[in-house]
Amino acid sequence: MRPEVALPVIIPLLCGAVSLLFWRSRPMQRFIAVAGTLALLVVGLWLITSVSREGYVVIHMGSWQAPYGISLVADMLSAIMILLTGIIGLGLAIYSLASTSTQHEKFGFYPLMHLLLAGVAGAFLTGDIFNLYVWFEVMLVASFALLILGGEKAQMEGAIKYVTLNLLASVIFLTAIGLVYGMVGTLNMADIGQRLAEAENQGMVEVLAIMFMIAFGIKAAAFPLFFWLPASYHTPAVAVSALFAGLLTKVGVYSLFRVFTLMFDQTMPYVQDILLWGAAFTMVTGVLGAAAQYEFRRILSFHIVSQIGYMILGLALFTPLALAGGIFAVMHNIIVKTNLFLISGITNRLQGTYQLKKMGGLFKERPWLSVAFFLSAFSLAGIPPLSGFFAKFVIVRAGIEAEAYVVTAVALAVGLMTLYSMVKIWNEVFWKSLPEDNLVPESSTPSGDEGRLVKSSLGLMYLPVAILALFAVLIGVFAQPLMEMMLMAGEQLMDPQGYMDAVLGEERTVLLRDALEVSP
Amino acid sequence: MSLLWTLLAPVAGSLLPLAAGRRNRRWLTLTALIPPLLALLLLSLTLPELLAGGLPRVQLSWMPALGLDLALRLDGLSLLFALLILGLGSLIIVYAGHYLHRDEPDARFFAYLLLFMGAMLGIVLSDNLLLLWLFWELTGLASFLLIGFWSRLSDARRGARMSLVVTSTGGLALLAGILLIGQEVGSLALGDVLAAGETLRASSRYPLIVALVLFGAFAKSAQFPLHFWLPHAMAAPTPVSAFLHSATMVKAGVFLLARLTPALGDTSLWALSLSLIGLATLLYGAWFALFERDLKGILAFSTISHLGLITLLLGLGSPLAIAAALLHILNHALFKAALFMSAGIIDHQTGTRDLQRLGGLARAMPLTATLTLMATAAMAGLPPFNGFLSKELLLAATLDSRLFGGLGAAVTLLVGLAALLSVGYSLRLAVGVFFGAGRPDEPATHDPSRSMLAPGLLLAALCLLIGLLPMTLAAPLVTLASRAVQGSATPTLDLALWHGPSLPLAISVVAVLGGLVAALRQPQLARIVALFPRRDARWLFEAGVIRLTKASLWLTLRLENGSLQRYLALLLLTAVAMAGLGLAQVERLTGERGVQPLDGMLVLGAALMVFGAVGSALSHRWRLVSLLMLSVVGLSVALTFVRFSAPDLAMTQLSVEVVSMILLMLALFFLPQRPPPWVSTRRILRDLLVAGLCGLVVASLNYALLTRETLSIADFFLRESVPGGGGGNVVNVILVDFRGFDTFGEITVLTLAGLATYKLLNRMKLFMPAGNVEGIHWSRHRHPLILAVIAQILLPLALLVSAYIFLRGHNQPGGGFIAGLITAVALLLQYLARGYDWTRQRLPLSYPLVAVSGLALATATGLASWLFGYPFLTSTFGHFQLPLIGELELASALLFDLGVYLAVVGATLMILVNLGRVTTVHRPSIEEEN
């Protein structure tokens, strides 16, 4: 029995259910929010210590051996993602205590947050492709509910697009699962990987690979499948935006990493080319989209898309170093991008708007907030020695080693445009003086995202922002131990046999192979 | 180790002024002086080792996996730069203490300045190329903060942004170059790289490496055509300009060139790129300096020009030229810092830097005039100042060079021209400010305090002293630096003001005379220049940015026009195109199993489904009809399941079909009753094409798979269902046991969906029509009697059926999911027949609570297995003997199934009842009288 593998899913689920039972008690819900996410963080640490000791930790749900039951598998990648989920979850829970309006709390913000985290954690841990689909659904429904928290018209419009396009992704995903099952008759990803490698009809395998790529591409918001993201991410309450920005698309990226290392090897050049060019176009279109925007959260949203490109590039280059770089990018992005959204929430509180043109003067007014933004923004732009630099650097280095010069050059250029975008925000929001026409009245009660300056509650909003900003620096300082973890994750991904042995047991692997050799 | 502290002193020391607070300026200045002075002291501790011929180094590992180490070295080149950085830095701190206004955030200013100093020191001390690059970027960041220090000014913000973007562009190119070097050499340690010159030059990627490295260095050192950011960086406070944009940051580029000369130099590619770009920059800067009105503008262009000079010397590459380049780095830093200081003083005292508004200040400000005139003379290359020495060396090196072949004479001529121009603009500056007629309307000014003048005067004095005693003051340092660059090739320097009559001297004399003429005729020249439109590269930069923004807006609007239909079409087309590409790789569509025979029933069923699907699409404008057509499809699917003996699936499909139809009917109520307008035929054709393609691709995929052999783990489930799961119904055992975790997730989804709908509907205010389009009111009889009666009779029956289905589920078709749906439909019927309020009174259940307790029960069942030391959701079962009933088999999975049941009932009713309630509560209809 290895509870640390199941707990990351069970804790938020249980917290969600208990929160729902205490539907009317706000203090209780707030308490569970913080306690539950803290527990998640602790379990995340537990899991990552186990994994770094043992390599893989596997449990079979209901004691049914793989591939018959559903297995939860933690390798280094999963453990890293779970730990990050815990960090972001806790940060957001604390932030939400101050930022979420009473109205949203009554609507069920906290239980929804828990269930969303459960979906995210389930997706990171499951070793079963259909179970992955189930967790995707949990995430989708929870995120939809969170999107429409306020019930405003813009939110509804964004949410409809979000849910429609994501449902389409689910349909494609489900079709692909059906086809895979039809082909190899199993749902365990490790098992699928083994059988697909042995399959005679590699042409069909390629089609399947592409279907999965599209499904996860939509979820990850890769080019040209990203429309839903900029259409919706700037509409909900800011804590929700931050949660989505940090975690949701990364689940798509994670799934790409998982499926395209475990189930499909990348010997199919055609598939790898699509990934490579998809990554390049994702980076470019995202960053170009941001260039034209003057709304704080919309700029950030487009940058999510662009950063996704980096991560996929790490996958497409397909070397241990590149994969490590991709995962490093995921880690850095989850932390930094969430923080930028959180900061946008504070600035909105202070100035009552997300429009850059109407903001200003925060550098003088709020020096510490400025420092936090500065660190996060320049980290996103890949300026050393902040976290983003290492992510970019490792990928670029892997790109040069793989002699993929064009894509590497694109990655560098995109970094530059990101810098430009971030400086745009910095100049407008922090350096520029507050324009005369910002006449948002001060209000004394928290009222969702409207109104400005609620002094009493700002402290709780600053706390996670400060910690996450500190992370952006510390990741740079402790780059070596982190990089070792990433490299371990990358090497595990490059060698799926280890994962397969851990899940299926070594004897079975041999047996199956014998059986396959005997039967035509 | 003291080397490390040398570097850390200013980096960590940057926090010192912030910590010191804003007590008073003098105190703060002194605090800010501690780090550089400390660093100088520490440096002197390392010096003996260097002078003894050693190479002091420190190495700490940071990220060995990536070849990044905290490795530092101190060689002659580092020493030259480190002294400049720390020495000038200290002077500038003293100066800035007087320059800044009383109420400016000086602590922050000093912090930035020290941070910058540390970064710069890092560049010159790095013993690892990657580390060097890290500090390289840090200087960009620090200078961004410094240029934008007066952030309320739009010019400062733009200047800061532009310099950051341009130098970062260079930085990224440099990074790529460094990584390529690392790959060729196999190490990023400076020692290894410098020793691997042969390998690098022989590499096929050498041109690429050189291009990237030069791009980086040129962007930093403001070489033509990447110079344009420098004049705009003058928006910074003057001490910053003095330090960054004359003495240090811009020198980082030439430092890098010098640093990498052993590794990359000594090829014609290197030599020609450097010397040609350097020459162009030299002339360009000098020419435009002549026409600036702003004091700092003149100095900025002159800086560009002098940087070009250094690059040119490095490009010429002869031992003497390189030594001359190093000498000029020193000279230029000294006089240019002094000049910027004086420009700052003039600005500070008179309030303007405009040459047109200045004049005749020599009398009012004698000390400032002395300082400026000395430094200007050095800049113009007049004896007996230090600038003269390096200019003579430049001319000599140009004359010696064979690099340009037959063009050598022309190049010498151009260098002479540049010398002429520099005399011209220097004269113009000196005369314009201190002589001639002052403006009568200006208030009287005077010299600033001694301590503000002192740093500048010191520098000016140094310019003179180096000119007079070059062999004592400059030669040892330059020789040391030169050894680091060219090793044993270092020439014995023979620096002196007077070498006897020579060709360089003659050129100098002509240049001075010509410069006099140029300064006198400046207005005429300016008129000629004005004839040509000035294509400032900055303008190009800004226009480029605007164009890029517009293009991206255009692109974004193309892709992101807000139309969901378009997004869907694009997504589907992408999916179809890519999957189609994949399909093209499959050799044969039909697999080895071939096609099975068809029978009448199958054809009929398929035809029914096709009919339903097509009909539903065709009738989409009449929503009710379309819905009914859709239900045909759903029911046919249920029949298909029956045909292939899957009773569980058929039952599930049937009940889901019923529930979703009710849901859609309820939703229909809120939609406009008029048919939607006819969309254009073009769009219909487009949609038809997209849908048709999707259908084709998916059908082909299915066909391809179904005609092939398949492996399956299904046998295991059939075999293990009874012995392992304790149930005869494999489907149910899969749902609640084998794959219970999936079901667990699914009921979470269901509960969530129910809650979301519930909450959303509670807050929505929807428009309720009172009748249909023709204006006819809805029927007054909302609750027909027959329905009410039948519903009431059906209820117990239906509940009984659902209980039965639930209980037998583990062994026969049925189970919690189906039972839940049946219960939900039965209860729903009561709402339909009797209305919301009536039913609500008799059934005061909180459906959210039902659903959540279902979820909680399922979780608890799963967790219970932990108590027994088994993984989550492990089931057990046993046979019990009950009186009267007999043997009963109970499985723990039944409890889990109960959770499923509750969640399904709760969630379904949460959605449907609320949707129904909304239609009744807000409906402005005529209430029937009961």
Side-chain angles (χ1 to χ4, degrees):
Chain A
M1 194 174 82
R2 302 300 299 262
E4 70 264 38
V5 193
L7 279 175
V9 190
I10 310 241
I11 290 174
L13 266 179
L14 208 59
C15 291
V18 175
S19 277
L20 284 172
L21 288 177
F22 289 99
W23 186 262
R24 286 174 211 292
S25 162
R26 263 185 69 214
M28 192 65 193
Q29 293 208 4
R30 291 159 71 96
F31 171 74
I32 297 175
V34 177
T37 45
L38 183 64
L40 187 61
L41 177 58
V42 172
V43 174
L45 288 169
W46 181 8
L47 184 63
I48 210 160
T49 26
S50 301
V51 168
S52 38
R53 209 172 41 234
E54 298 166 45
Y56 301 90
V57 187
V58 184
I59 56 166
H60 305 291
M61 298 312 254
S63 307
W64 294 107
Q65 283 308 307
Y68 307 110
I70 294 170
S71 310
L72 293 188
V73 191
D75 63 352
M76 201 52 178
L77 174 62
S78 301
I80 292 171
M81 300 307 288
I82 291 292
L83 183 60
L84 288 168
T85 310
I87 293 172
I88 294 303
L90 182 60
L92 266 162
I94 295 173
Y95 186 89
S96 309
L97 294 182
S99 81
T100 310
S101 65
T102 327
Q103 190 194 7
H104 288 185
E105 283 183 338
K106 279 190 186 149
F107 193 97
F109 172 80
Y110 295 116
L112 288 173
M113 180 191 80
H114 287 301
L115 292 176
L116 183 71
L117 290 178
V120 171
F124 288 151
L125 284 173
T126 186
D128 186 284
I129 192 79
F130 184 76
N131 198 237
L132 181 63
Y133 168 79
V134 171
W135 296 119
F136 266 111
E137 292 300 280
V138 173
M139 274 189 295
L140 177 57
V141 180
S143 57
F144 176 68
L146 281 169
L147 264 179
I148 53 167
L149 268 185
E152 289 160 28
K153 200 174 171 203
Q155 295 185 339
M156 296 304 287
E157 195 189 328
I160 298 252
K161 282 173 191 153
Y162 173 84
V163 87
T164 314
L165 298 173
N166 270 288
L167 272 177
L168 185 66
S170 298
V171 168
I172 296 174
F173 186 13
L174 194 59
T175 313
I177 294 175
L179 291 171
V180 162
Y181 187 76
M183 194 158 168
V184 293
T186 181
L187 291 170
N188 182 300
M189 287 196 272
D191 203 24
I192 294 176
Q194 288 194 340
R195 296 192 189 207
L196 281 183
E198 313 273 344
E200 285 169 36
N201 198 341
Q202 286 298 321
M204 275 310 284
V205 177
E206 212 162 294
V207 184
L208 289 178
I210 289 170
M211 304 262 306
F212 278 107
M213 198 190 294
I214 292 170
F216 296 137
I218 297 178
K219 295 283 181 190
F223 177 87
L225 313 164
F226 62 81
F227 312 109
W228 57 271
L229 193 148
S232 58
Y233 268 25
H234 62 289
T235 57
V238 71
V240 176
S241 293
L243 189 58
F244 288 11
L247 287 177
L248 277 195
T249 45
K250 312 304 180 291
V251 184
V253 175
Y254 164 85
S255 309
L256 280 173
F257 270 72
R258 177 65 72 216
V259 164
F260 281 91
T261 52
L262 183 59
M263 278 169 52
F264 305 101
D265 64 13
Q266 291 198 346
T267 44
M268 303 171 265
Y270 175 42
V271 169
Q272 198 178 4
D273 283 349
I274 294 179
L275 276 178
L276 206 59
W277 291 108
F281 276 106
T282 309
M283 288 189 277
V284 172
T285 43
V287 91
L288 282 180
Q293 301 298 325
Y294 273 91
E295 209 258 27
F296 205 143
R297 284 198 287 176
R298 261 179 89 80
I299 296 178
L300 294 179
S301 299
F302 274 105
H303 279 294
I304 299 177
V305 174
S306 145
Q307 302 289 325
I308 293 291
Y310 277 99
M311 304 167 201
I312 298 180
L313 180 57
L315 173 65
L317 291 171
F318 205 59
T319 60
L321 187 67
L323 286 169
I327 303 168
F328 206 115
V330 172
M331 170 186 74
H332 140 75
N333 237 277
I334 287 182
I335 286 175
V336 165
K337 188 50 70 68
T338 310
N339 205 19
L340 285 172
F341 269 94
L342 293 183
I343 291 170
S344 81
I346 297 183
T347 57
N348 177 52
R349 256 311 159 72
L350 292 170
Q351 313 213 308
T353 178
Y354 285 107
Q355 297 297 334
L356 297 191
K357 305 248 181 205
K358 291 188 177 173
M359 306 170 84
L362 280 174
F363 186 54
K364 211 173 246 170
E365 227 178 282
R366 305 275 157 170
W368 287 108
L369 182 68
S370 313
V371 170
F373 176 82
F374 191 83
L375 290 176
S376 309
F378 281 77
S379 172
L380 191 78
I383 298 286
L386 302 166
S387 59
F389 159 68
F390 290 96
K392 186 171 75 181
F393 170 68
V394 177
I395 293 175
V396 165
R397 184 174 158 162
I400 285 179
E401 278 176 13
E403 308 200 347
Y405 296 125
V406 179
V407 190
T408 310
V410 168
L412 285 172
V414 166
L416 197 68
M417 293 193 58
T418 313
L419 179 66
Y420 188 84
S421 254
M422 290 300 121
V423 173
K424 178 165 84 182
I425 300 181
W426 172 259
N427 278 356
E428 293 287 321
V429 178
F430 292 90
W431 265 359
K432 186 184 72 187
S433 314
L434 186 67
E436 310 273 311
D437 62 345
N438 182 329
L439 296 171
V440 185
E442 298 201 358
S443 76
S444 52
T445 52
S447 57
D449 285 339
E450 293 110 47
R452 134 183 197 202
L453 203 62
V454 189
K455 281 216 171 87
S456 60
S457 56
L458 274 175
L460 279 175
M461 292 166 86
Y462 274 126
L463 181 67
V465 165
I467 291 174
L468 290 179
L470 195 62
F471 274 173
V473 180
L474 289 182
I475 288 177
V477 177
F478 296 104
Q480 174 66 17
L482 286 170
M483 195 59 212
E484 274 165 17
M485 277 164 53
M486 305 298 157
L487 277 172
M488 175 176 169
E491 270 152 23
Q492 281 184 338
L493 289 179
M494 281 302 281
D495 173 31
Q497 197 58 46
Y499 187 100
M500 292 170 181
D501 290 346
V503 176
L504 301 169
E506 281 175 52
E507 312 81 25
R508 213 199 88 79
T509 314
V510 177
L511 274 178
L512 182 82
R513 203 168 297 146
D514 289 347
L516 280 168
E517 270 163 25
V518 173
S519 72
Chain B
M1 237 15 217
S2 74
L3 211 49
L4 186 66
W5 292 109
T6 313
L7 173 61
L8 277 180
V11 173
S14 63
L15 297 174
L16 209 59
L18 292 176
R22 311 189 51 188
R23 216 176 314 165
N24 76 47
R25 180 61 60 77
R26 189 181 295 269
W27 159 252
L28 194 68
T29 314
L30 286 176
T31 327
L33 270 176
I34 296 173
L37 294 180
L38 186 67
L40 272 175
L41 184 72
L42 288 164
L43 199 64
S44 66
L45 292 180
T46 327
L47 211 51
E49 193 186 340
L50 173 68
L51 292 178
L55 182 61
R57 289 165 67 169
V58 184
Q59 184 153 8
L60 293 176
S61 87
W62 180 2
M63 210 170 164
L66 296 173
L68 174 58
D69 287 316
L70 206 57
L72 302 176
R73 68 150 69 188
L74 182 72
D75 59 11
L77 189 61
S78 315
L79 181 69
L80 171 65
F81 273 90
L83 287 177
L84 279 178
I85 293 162
L86 292 169
L88 284 175
S90 309
L91 291 179
I92 288 206
I93 287 174
V94 173
Y95 173 77
H98 294 281
Y99 178 85
L100 290 179
H101 281 284
R102 199 167 295 279
D103 50 353
E104 279 182 300
D106 41 13
R108 215 166 63 206
F109 181 82
F110 285 127
Y112 293 163
L113 208 60
L114 287 171
L115 179 71
F116 174 80
M117 204 185 283
M120 201 58 214
L121 209 53
I123 293 183
V124 302
L125 292 180
S126 287
D127 195 23
N128 177 299
L129 275 185
L130 208 52
L131 188 69
L132 186 151
W133 186 82
L134 239 68
F135 284 114
W136 181 278
E137 289 294 284
L138 207 57
T139 58
L141 205 60
S143 86
F144 170 75
L145 290 170
L146 282 166
I147 298 173
F149 182 70
W150 287 326
S151 58
R152 57 181 193 284
L153 304 176
S154 134
D155 265 358
R157 295 197 301 268
R158 291 168 130 199
R161 176 164 74 181
M162 186 154 63
S163 78
L164 182 65
V165 169
V166 175
T167 53
S168 295
T169 314
L172 291 176
L174 180 60
L175 175 64
I178 287 176
L179 285 174
L180 282 173
I181 292 178
Q183 229 196 335
E184 291 293 334
V185 179
S187 158
L188 285 168
L190 198 54
D192 297 340
V193 172
L194 294 187
E198 293 299 317
T199 327
L200 281 169
R201 281 186 285 268
S203 153
S204 64
R205 289 192 284 190
Y206 175 75
L208 183 61
I209 294 176
V210 168
L212 289 168
V213 169
L214 290 190
F215 187 79
F218 288 169
K220 199 81 164 180
S221 277
Q223 297 294 297
F224 182 83
L226 300 170
H227 62 280
F228 56 92
W229 62 270
L230 187 62
H232 299 284
M234 294 301 146
T238 305
V240 174
S241 314
F243 193 36
L244 271 68
H245 305 124
S246 61
T248 52
M249 184 167 97
V250 288
K251 294 275 169 62
V254 285
F255 168 81
L256 184 76
L257 295 179
R259 184 51 108 198
L260 290 178
T261 296
L264 296 176
D266 208 17
T267 63
S268 56
L269 174 68
W270 175 268
L272 279 176
S273 328
L274 256 65
S275 47
L276 289 180
I277 296 273
L279 186 61
T281 313
L282 171 66
L283 281 167
Y284 179 93
W287 176 248
F288 282 103
L290 197 56
F291 303 105
E292 276 293 318
R293 280 175 56 178
D294 180 6
L295 274 186
K296 278 175 81 174
I298 297 177
L299 295 178
F301 276 102
S302 140
T303 302
I304 292 176
S305 161
H306 281 273
L307 288 166
L309 193 164
I310 298 168
T311 310
L312 170 61
L313 279 169
L314 287 171
L316 292 175
S318 65
L320 186 67
I322 289 181
L326 296 168
L327 178 65
H328 197 65
I329 287 174
L330 174 69
N331 291 341
H332 175 247
L334 295 178
F335 67 69
K336 195 50 71 62
L339 279 170
F340 267 107
M341 286 181 184
S342 98
I345 290 172
I346 293 164
D347 189 11
H348 195 258
Q349 300 299 102
T350 66
T352 180
R353 301 189 315 239
D354 190 346
L355 267 190
Q356 311 265 335
R357 297 178 55 196
L358 290 164
L361 287 178
R363 190 165 315 203
M365 306 171 74
L367 285 173
T368 313
T370 317
L371 139 67
T372 316
L373 291 179
M374 283 166 80
T376 314
M379 175 162 78
L382 299 179
F385 295 95
N386 57 358
F388 176 72
L389 297 172
S390 32
K391 189 185 63 179
E392 295 298 289
L393 284 178
L394 166 70
L395 288 168
T398 319
L399 285 169
D400 281 351
S401 171
R402 302 227 176 109
L403 189 59
F404 307 102
L407 283 175
V411 171
T412 315
L413 205 63
L414 287 174
V415 172
L417 178 63
L420 182 153
L421 287 170
S422 78
V423 173
Y425 66 72
S426 303
L427 266 174
R428 183 164 165 258
L429 186 150
V431 173
V433 176
F434 294 102
F435 304 102
R439 303 275 299 222
D441 52 326
E442 297 290 335
T445 53
H446 54 83
D447 271 327
S449 69
R450 294 284 154 84
S451 45
M452 186 171 185
L453 273 168
L457 281 171
L458 182 65
L459 290 173
L462 269 176
C463 290
L464 180 61
L465 284 174
I466 290 180
L468 293 173
L469 306 165
M471 289 312 286
T472 334
L473 288 172
L477 192 59
V478 170
T479 311
L480 211 56
S482 162
R483 259 200 212 110
V485 179
Q486 42 188 350
S488 52
T490 300
T492 5
L493 281 178
D494 175 25
L495 302 175
L497 289 173
W498 179 251
H499 284 287
S502 63
L503 194 49
L505 188 65
I507 298 177
S508 280
V509 173
V510 175
V512 171
L513 294 177
L516 267 171
V517 177
L520 286 174
R521 293 284 166 214
Q522 193 268 351
Q524 282 85 340
L525 286 173
R527 238 170 281 146
I528 297 173
V529 171
L531 291 178
F532 299 95
R534 180 117 177 232
R535 279 298 169 115
D536 191 346
R538 177 224 174 171
W539 178 83
L540 288 178
F541 176 82
E542 301 258 322
V545 168
I546 292 172
R547 203 168 307 149
L548 190 67
T549 312
K550 279 193 179 147
S552 69
L553 194 64
W554 177 86
L555 181 77
T556 317
L557 287 178
R558 281 289 151 287
L559 288 172
E560 282 260 358
N561 67 346
S563 153
L564 182 57
Q565 282 86 345
R566 170 180 288 212
Y567 297 166
L568 276 175
L570 274 173
L571 279 194
L572 283 171
L573 280 178
T574 313
V576 162
M578 281 167 66
L581 267 174
L583 260 179
Q585 313 285 309
V586 180
E587 270 178 36
R588 246 167 355 103
L589 198 58
T590 314
E592 58 277 2
R593 266 169 73 175
V595 187
Q596 285 173 305
L598 287 172
D599 65 33
M601 282 308 286
L602 278 179
V603 174
L604 185 66
L608 212 57
M609 255 191 269
V610 172
F611 168 75
V614 173
S616 171
L618 285 180
S619 59
H620 75 278
R621 297 181 69 231
W622 301 273
R623 297 196 174 91
L624 188 63
V625 182
S626 184
L627 259 188
L628 292 176
M629 289 291 193
L630 203 59
S631 75
V632 171
V633 179
L635 293 175
S636 319
V637 171
L639 286 177
T640 317
F641 287 138
V642 174
R643 170 74 168 71
F644 290 104
S645 18
D648 274 282
L649 293 185
M651 281 165 79
T652 315
Q653 172 70 24
L654 209 59
S655 37
V656 167
E657 191 61 34
V658 169
V659 172
S660 42
M661 268 307 136
I662 297 175
L663 176 70
L664 287 174
M665 290 284 191
L666 282 171
L668 213 54
F669 187 80
F670 299 100
L671 292 179
Q673 292 172 27
R674 287 179 195 283
W678 181 258
V679 287
S680 71
T681 318
R682 228 177 71 188
R683 267 187 54 182
I684 289 191
L685 283 177
R686 178 196 75 176
D687 294 349
L688 209 62
L689 188 73
V690 174
L693 281 175
C694 284
L696 263 178
V697 166
V698 174
S700 311
L701 286 174
N702 270 320
Y703 178 78
L705 263 181
L706 290 173
T707 51
R708 284 175 165 81
E709 293 296 342
T710 171
L711 308 156
S712 178
I713 54 170
D715 290 341
F716 173 86
F717 296 128
L718 292 174
R719 200 172 61 236
E720 284 293 316
S721 179
V722 176
N729 178 2
V730 188
V731 176
N732 186 262
V733 178
I734 289 180
L735 281 181
V736 298
D737 201 340
F738 291 123
R739 300 188 65 88
F741 200 52
D742 277 343
T743 314
F744 188 49
E746 287 296 355
I747 57 174
T748 314
V749 174
L750 203 58
T751 314
L752 263 173
L755 283 171
T757 323
Y758 179 73
K759 283 287 169 180
L760 191 64
L761 286 176
N762 270 350
R763 291 172 50 176
M764 241 196 284
K765 298 274 180 288
L766 291 164
F767 168 71
M768 297 293 151
N772 71 359
V773 241
E774 278 87 36
I776 303 169
H777 277 289
W778 303 121
S779 159
R780 295 161 62 92
H781 300 285
R782 276 162 86 186
H783 307 304
L785 191 60
I786 299 181
L787 181 61
V789 170
I790 292 180
Q792 223 161 341
I793 299 169
L794 269 179
L795 181 64
L797 281 176
L799 289 181
L800 208 60
V801 167
S802 76
Y804 172 67
I805 294 245
F806 172 76
L807 284 174
R808 75 171 203 158
H810 215 44
N811 288 306
Q812 319 235 306
F817 191 79
I818 303 172
L821 285 176
I822 294 177
T823 311
V825 173
L827 290 177
L828 204 61
L829 197 59
Q830 307 307 309
Y831 285 96
L832 283 178
R834 289 291 190 161
Y836 176 80
D837 296 319
W838 188 91
T839 322
R840 180 85 194 151
Q841 275 171 10
R842 286 157 187 78
L843 196 71
L845 268 180
S846 161
Y847 295 120
L849 209 62
V850 173
V852 174
S853 41
L855 193 57
L857 180 64
T859 319
T861 320
L863 283 177
S865 49
W866 277 4
L867 294 179
F868 302 97
Y870 288 105
F872 190 68
L873 279 178
T874 304
S875 72
T876 179
F877 61 93
H879 296 258
F880 301 92
Q881 210 59 45
L882 282 186
L884 294 179
I885 298 179
E887 190 186 298
L888 186 70
E889 186 200 290
L890 281 178
S892 68
L894 199 67
L895 270 181
F896 182 77
D897 217 10
L898 185 62
V900 174
Y901 171 82
L902 288 175
V904 170
V905 173
T908 315
L909 287 179
M910 237 190 299
I911 300 173
L912 292 181
V913 170
N914 267 291
L915 207 53
R917 184 181 58 85
V918 176
T919 64
T920 46
V921 168
H922 297 295
R923 179 154 37 164
S925 73
I926 314 141
E927 227 10 85
E928 64 185 294
E929 279 123 49
N930 245 2

